[in-house]
Amino acid sequence: MAGANRATGSRRPIAAIDIGSNSIFLMIASVDRGRVAIVHRHKDRARLAAAMDANGCLRGDAMNRAMATLKQFRAAADHHGAEIRAVATAAVRGALNSAEFIERASAEAAIQVELISGEAEAELVYLGVRLGGQARDDRLLCVDVGGGSTEVVLGSADQVLVRASAAVGAVAICAAHLGSPPVSASTLEATRAHIAAAIKPVAGRFVQHNW
């Protein structure tokens, strides 16, 4: 067992970092003989999905803020002796300069960031809900509306049956379509139509599934 303490069977704490479209979240947990205990957590409001320039790149100021946050998270992980696993989702995934973000995270914060697909993100959502112990039935449908995308996943017990992701998120939609209040009725109607069109192919995959 990599990183395990041979005397107790426990592992090093794990620092999970989620670089999302609305926030960057850190959770550090200890794992001992299958029991998980959260020892530290912190969230910074990054709003990366609202920090795209006209060319589809993350702006420099937003990237600088994200790097400052990742440095703080690295320090917290080191303090707890934790192994880091970091993933980036919709905002970084959709940015034309995503490679620069990942390179800077490695160079400035010594954090290796994995850029995951929307479907991989959906599966992690499902596993998180299952491991959280809140699901009562074997068959479970999860919908995660994030800042830059929406993930939908259907599973039975520990098995993922259908997973999908749509490029529809609260922060991105507000930034690209709604602007500053007040929002006119026509703008709101057009935004709803845009969301419905983006969600329809995803919804179709679940309607066709034999529940």
Side-chain angles (χ1 to χ4, degrees):
M1 180 184 297
N5 182 307
R6 294 181 180 178
T8 65
S10 63
R11 296 175 57 93
R12 289 175 60 194
I14 298 174
I17 300 176
D18 176 8
I19 304 170
S21 302
N22 188 49
S23 61
I24 303 178
F25 183 60
L26 167 70
M27 179 181 290
I28 301 177
S30 63
V31 183
D32 188 0
R33 303 187 189 281
R35 294 188 297 271
V36 178
I38 298 171
V39 297
H40 179 78
R41 67 173 80 199
H42 188 77
K43 180 185 288 188
D44 273 0
R45 191 182 181 198
R47 294 184 66 83
L48 293 177
M52 298 288 184
D53 65 19
N55 298 316
C57 293
L58 286 169
R59 297 197 310 266
D61 59 331
M63 201 176 296
N64 290 340
R65 290 195 302 272
M67 293 306 126
T69 295
L70 291 179
K71 289 177 186 178
Q72 293 175 5
F73 287 1
R74 159 54 77 179
D78 289 346
H79 175 75
H80 289 278
E83 172 188 354
I84 294 178
R85 288 293 305 274
V87 299
T89 57
V92 179
R93 184 164 65 230
L96 294 181
N97 58 344
S98 60
E100 179 186 354
F101 184 99
I102 293 171
E103 290 169 3
R104 286 190 60 181
S106 177
E108 299 178 26
I111 292 176
Q112 307 304 316
V113 176
E114 178 185 359
L115 191 61
I116 62 173
S117 68
E119 291 197 347
E121 185 178 354
E123 184 167 350
L124 290 174
V125 168
Y126 181 82
L127 293 175
V129 173
R130 278 294 184 195
L131 290 173
Q134 300 301 313
R136 298 179 181 178
D137 300 324
D138 283 344
R139 193 61 65 96
L140 177 66
L141 178 69
C142 300
V143 181
D144 179 20
V145 181
S149 64
T150 294
E151 280 65 49
V152 187
V153 56
L154 171 68
S156 178
D158 294 332
Q159 181 182 7
V160 172
L161 302 176
V162 187
R163 56 182 184 171
S165 178
V168 177
V171 176
I173 288 295
C174 288
H177 297 274
L178 297 180
S180 301
V183 178
S184 68
S186 59
T187 297
L188 188 59
E189 183 178 353
T191 302
R192 285 174 173 165
H194 170 81
I195 293 171
I199 290 291
K200 186 175 181 179
V202 171
R205 293 179 58 181
F206 293 84
V207 171
Q208 295 169 8
H209 184 78
N210 182 10
W211 289 57

